[in-house]
Amino acid sequence: MKRRQFLTLPLVGVPFYFARDLLGQVREKTSNLSVRKPVVVSTWDSGITANKAAWPILEMKGSSLDAVEAAGRASEDEPSCCVGLQAWPDRDGRVTLDASIMDGDGGCGAVSFLERIKHPVSVARKVMEMTPHVLLSGEGAQGFAVANGFPLEEGKLSPEAEKEWKKWLEKSQYKPVMNIENRSNWRPANADGSDIPPPYRFDDGSFNHDTMATAALDASGKLAGMVTTSGMAFKMRGRVGDSPIIGAGMFVDNGAGAAVSSGVGEEVIRICGTHTVVEQMRMGRTPEQACREAVRRVVKRDTARARELQVGFLALSKKGEIGAFSIVKGFTFSVTNSDWPKGKVFESKSWF
Ligand code: SD4
């Protein structure tokens, strides 16, 4: 498709509606967003901020890798429950960060269980560019970061995080909050929204958000992706989610497309989520169909349990098609390109 178009393909009545796709499965009614490149897409409506940092780079014909790193850094700078050093801690009261970055030629780097470093996404890029490794973890990742000039921060919880952690300690119950990251999900009782409590809003009234993941396609047709997160709030100490696992939280291949995920990482790791999505695109599925297939695999494993959790996949094909799919309603994503220089938010379809 040459121009940006939002296509909700009304497949009823189309001769191939009941046709089987390349993988032999019945095609579902689907939608597809095809946009002009360069383009950047990020998870959630807070992705608008991430995209805002990436867009000037892409607009100036910069690389998708630089663009996604800038997006990650912007998210890490923004106070939130779930990204960067101001985020909520693990159950021992320590903030541990996971991040990954990947170009479309197999270059990738990641960090997990990283403490007291402000920009994990940039450390991940250094791992990619300066080491023979893909993933550095914990103390070793921190030492590598410091050796490469990243300041060692204080390691103190933000006031908001401390408050939430203490509240959590009263019950010590681990239950991920569904769609915590989605601003548009909040339904204030007061017209001005002032009654929405933390974790949805901070005391200054600004909104909270969660794991940020970005994919970009640059002017030269190259793809890149990144994810940055503090992982699940109040997780067991040492827990690592999908975000720094290449092929789980994020995967990119210039020959097919890029995919990122947000939600309960354990479910994503089990099915190699984003690798699944990219391989589905390679076999001819649209980004949305590809994301749906990954969601289907999560749901199939334990349907009753799946209703209680959220996993969302977001994909960008090498041709500039965008699609997403989630388990439950409420997964949104932000798109920025020359048609939407300030970004536009879409909601994905969901299984339930
Ligand atoms: C994790 N996938 O650590 C991350 C958390 C997340 O929206 O994405 N939350 O499992």
Side-chain angles (χ1 to χ4, degrees), residues 19-40:
R20 291 183 180 269
D21 69 13
L22 291 178
L23 302 175
Q25 293 181 22
V26 175
R27 269 194 204 133
E28 296 285 337
K29 181 180 172 190
T30 190
S31 58
N32 197 28
L33 181 64
S34 187
V35 301
R36 146 194 359 242
K37 67 173 197 243
V39 60
V40 55

Side-chain angles (χ1 to χ4, degrees), residues 182-193:
N182 192 348
R183 295 174 203 209
S184 55
N185 243 17
W186 297 317
R187 301 277 179 262
N190 296 345
D192 67 356

Side-chain angles (χ1 to χ4, degrees), residues 74-249:
S75 300
E76 289 161 357
D77 278 335
E78 203 182 32
S80 80
C81 61
C82 311
V83 176
L85 289 177
Q86 299 182 63
W88 296 352
D90 63 16
R91 55 183 59 180
D92 291 8
R94 312 262 288 270
V95 176
T96 69
L97 304 175
D98 297 338
S100 61
I101 193 163
M102 186 168 192
D103 66 26
D105 297 317
C108 50
V111 288
S112 67
F113 195 51
L114 178 63
E115 294 178 88
R116 297 174 57 191
I117 300 290
K118 195 171 179 188
H119 286 302
V121 71
S122 294
V123 185
R125 183 162 177 183
K126 285 261 186 275
V127 172
M128 167 181 164
E129 291 176 342
M130 297 178 59
T131 80
H133 307 305
V134 166
L135 172 59
L136 292 183
S137 193
E139 208 182 299
Q142 190 190 66
F144 171 77
V146 171
N148 281 283
F150 291 84
L152 192 59
E153 309 289 341
E154 216 184 340
K156 205 165 158 283
L157 290 183
S158 67
E160 197 58 56
E162 180 143 17
K163 202 164 77 190
E164 290 301 322
W165 178 53
K166 290 197 169 140
K167 212 191 293 170
W168 178 81
L169 282 175
E170 287 165 18
K171 287 194 185 152
S172 299
Q173 202 181 48
Y174 179 70
K175 190 167 193 294
V177 181
M178 224 184 261
N179 298 324
I180 195 173
E181 46 284 273
N182 192 348
R183 295 174 203 209
S184 55
N185 243 17
W186 297 317
R187 301 277 179 262
N190 296 345
D192 67 356
S194 56
D195 61 326
I196 302 174
Y200 306 108
R201 267 184 194 272
F202 292 118
D203 288 345
D204 69 358
S206 64
F207 278 112
N208 212 336
H209 66 71
D210 198 346
T211 293
M212 291 307 303
T214 300
L217 177 64
D218 65 26
S220 69
K222 297 237 175 204
L223 289 157
M226 80 86 208
V227 191
T228 182
T229 187
S230 56
M232 288 297 174
F234 319 126
K235 60 196 174 186
M236 283 176 74
R237 182 146 180 83
R239 181 265 189 191
V240 170
D242 59 321
S243 308
I245 314 280
I246 302 299

